[in-house]
Amino acid sequence: MKTVLLSTAGLAVLVVAAFFAFALSPEEIEAVERPAADSFDAGLVAKGRDLAALGNCLTCHRSEGGAPYAGGYGVETPVGTIYGSNITPDPETGIGRWSEAAFVRSMREGLGREGEHLYPAFPYTHFTRVTDGDLEALYAFLMTREAVAKTVPDPDLPFPMNVRPLLAAWKLLFFDEGAAPLEGVDDELERGRYLVDGLGHCGACHTPRNLFLAERSDAYLRGGEASGWANPPLAGDIHSPSPWSADEITTYLRGGFAETHGTAAGPMAEVAAQLKDAPAKDVLSMATYLVSLQTGVETPSANGQERPAQSERVVLGETLYRGACARCHEASGEGVAFARGSSQGLPLSQSTALHAPDGRNFAQFVLYGVEAPKGEAGWPMPGFADLLTDEQIAAIADYLRHDLAGQPAWDDMTGRIAGIRSQGESGQ
Ligand code: HEC
Ligand code: HEC
Ligand code: HEC
């Protein structure tokens, strides 16, 4: 009986959604001749390049080994995979025949040129905040890229998620269009907020989502999850054991590493690889804004916790740590990691991954290692997936939590590691 009721309710929702979808069906914007590349001002194109780096456009609009902006990267969502479009100016397979108005509408309203609804895997829920002036520059930048003919796969989604018109209902409930563009802001915090919430779309990963996969407005930047990683909170009480300064965040965002806070790995490595090419001043504005949102850090003393008891597994973990990890992580003195040029690796006691409420990121680091930040030579940590068992990694985690973080062991770490192992390496 209950299932009948539920499926009737589900059907009713679908019917109502379909009604809205067709009632609100948006119009096609007419195709234009592809504008000549030399019709765009060089200064505007350069501005667009900076904005594209801030918006990470390349990340989702290039497949592995594929041409820039020709699309094909699969954005993984809990319901299926949606492929980044070809946004080169190719007239047939890209956006070559899109007018500026069509481009602006796609970014503001999540609509294709022909009026079809786009999936919010394309972060237009953030891009809707971008100013007219910035969108004009992005359009100039994209229309002056090399045109590449490439058709990207259709989204790989089950019914009813694969029915695009139903997205109209989702937008009605969860999409706040426009969100007041801020023209000509120069105050640094405002600029930072504009970039974090708009082009930077940091909340796409760092804000938790509700059942319908929309970002929760009541938990802005309080931490989310993606591809087997925990995206740590950027606002409120953060998981790092020491506070971030704006300069440290800037270094981390533009270099993929900060001596005081460690490495940007997994999905964050790609974000940092793009921000490397963004203007330092803009990244500093984002960092300044983020610092203004942070209220404190979670340290063992701040939690008032007793030092946890030492278990047998902690003793085993210490032995394993001495054999497998210490030669790097204690190479140059007390708890200090690797040397990289003139800078030092992070003492593990300072790692956000070790202080987080669950051991997901720690497991990612140990199973799959750390790649050198993009453009840097050397400096890797090997993955231990083939060298250590789940139980052994869990024992090392217990030891480090006990000895370096002064915190209780994570629950069911062995199961957590097995789960991440079975998903394979992701987000790199
Ligand atoms: C997190 C991944 C992601 C990022 C970052 C991203 N996009 Fe996309 N974008 C997508 C996906 C996925 C689609 C396809 C959506 C669909 O099929 O409904 C898309 C579609 C588009 C479209 C519509 C193209 C069409 O043919 O319908 C445009 C235009 C676009 N993106 C521009 C941009 C720009 C400009 C940036 C950077 C400021 C950007 N995107 C950043 C994932 C992304
Ligand atoms: C695709 C998902 C994704 C996006 C988009 C993203 N992040 Fe992250 N971020 C992560 C993950 C995962 C980590 C943890 C990485 C690690 O520990 O190496 C992280 C870590 C961080 C940290 C370190 C936090 C700490 O306390 O250790 C900062 C700061 C950060 N991100 C800032 C940003 C900013 C600013 C943006 C927007 C410009 C952004 N992130 C966009 C996934 C993302
Ligand atoms: C060959 C040298 C090497 C070995 C062996 C090694 N590491 Fe690393 N590890 C590194 C480097 C280099 C980094 C990146 C620098 C950083 O983040 O400070 C790193 C980073 C980490 C991080 C992330 C720190 C952060 O938040 O940025 C963790 C966690 C970690 N290692 C744990 C371990 C554990 C546990 C072992 C043993 C199973 C181990 N490592 C073995 C070199 C090594």
Side-chain angles (χ1 to χ4, degrees), residues 93-421:
T93 59
I95 60 167
R97 307 197 66 200
W98 287 37
S99 61
E100 190 179 318
F103 174 72
V104 168
R105 187 176 72 166
S106 72
M107 298 283 282
R108 282 267 163 76
E109 301 178 37
L111 293 169
R113 186 183 64 76
E114 292 172 17
E116 73 277 22
H117 290 287
L118 299 174
Y119 289 97
F122 167 32
Y124 58 81
T125 50
H126 293 273
F127 296 163
T128 190
R129 294 177 167 79
V130 179
T131 60
D132 289 344
D134 283 356
L135 289 177
E136 187 192 356
L138 274 169
Y139 179 72
F141 173 68
L142 291 175
M143 293 312 260
T144 49
R145 296 309 89 201
E146 191 187 329
V148 179
K150 176 178 172 180
T151 306
V152 308
D154 285 333
D156 184 8
L157 297 167
F159 179 81
M161 261 75 85
N162 59 358
V163 183
R164 282 190 187 267
L166 295 180
L167 283 166
W170 186 91
K171 285 176 167 176
L172 215 56
L173 292 169
F174 301 114
F175 177 39
D176 188 7
E177 190 192 313
L182 310 161
E183 276 293 1
V185 282
D186 53 20
D187 173 69
E188 190 167 30
L189 278 187
E190 271 308 293
R191 175 77 184 156
R193 181 172 73 112
Y194 168 68
L195 292 172
V196 163
D197 291 351
L199 276 178
H201 66 280
C202 312
C205 288
H206 287 281
T207 298
R209 292 174 187 266
N210 66 18
L211 273 179
F212 299 94
L213 302 181
E215 288 167 37
R216 284 173 46 196
S217 54
D218 63 333
Y220 174 65
L221 296 178
R222 294 304 167 103
E225 45 188 75
S227 330
W229 286 77
N231 313 319
L234 301 181
D237 282 355
I238 57 170
H239 294 157
S240 163
S242 55
W244 286 87
S245 71
D247 282 339
E248 287 166 346
I249 296 185
T250 306
T251 305
Y252 177 91
L253 290 176
R254 295 189 80 236
F257 175 78
E259 235 174 285
T260 45
H261 289 84
T263 303
M268 195 60 206
E270 190 55 43
V271 176
Q274 299 296 314
L275 291 179
K276 201 174 179 27
D277 298 325
K281 189 167 163 289
D282 283 337
V283 178
L284 181 62
S285 300
M286 292 203 281
T288 305
Y289 170 62
L290 290 178
V291 167
S292 79
L293 302 176
Q294 303 191 344
T295 48
V297 297
E298 293 194 0
T299 60
S301 53
N303 295 346
Q305 271 165 359
E306 297 262 322
R307 196 178 173 76
Q310 179 153 337
S311 68
E312 240 173 75
R313 209 159 71 157
V314 167
V315 178
L316 169 65
E318 174 163 15
T319 309
L320 290 165
Y321 169 81
R322 296 271 152 238
C325 324
R327 73 188 158 92
C328 291
H329 282 282
E330 294 180 20
S332 44
E334 175 63 20
V336 176
F338 241 53
R340 173 221 209 185
S342 57
S343 60
Q344 296 284 301
L346 180 77
L348 274 185
S349 62
Q350 293 300 306
S351 171
T352 300
L354 201 60
H355 289 265
D358 73 52
R360 230 177 311 181
N361 291 1
F362 180 84
Q364 293 278 7
F365 274 116
V366 179
L367 282 171
Y368 303 119
V370 179
E371 282 180 30
K374 292 253 157 77
E376 300 278 346
W379 167 260
M381 162 170 155
F384 286 86
D386 298 331
L387 298 171
L388 295 172
T389 64
D390 298 348
E391 288 77 12
Q392 288 172 326
I393 297 173
I396 294 174
D398 279 12
Y399 162 65
L400 292 174
R401 286 280 285 177
H402 177 272
D403 234 59
L404 296 185
Q407 305 227 24
W410 286 305
D411 285 342
D412 188 26
M413 193 53 186
T414 311
R416 170 80 74 191
I417 296 164
I420 289 174
R421 200 192 273 279

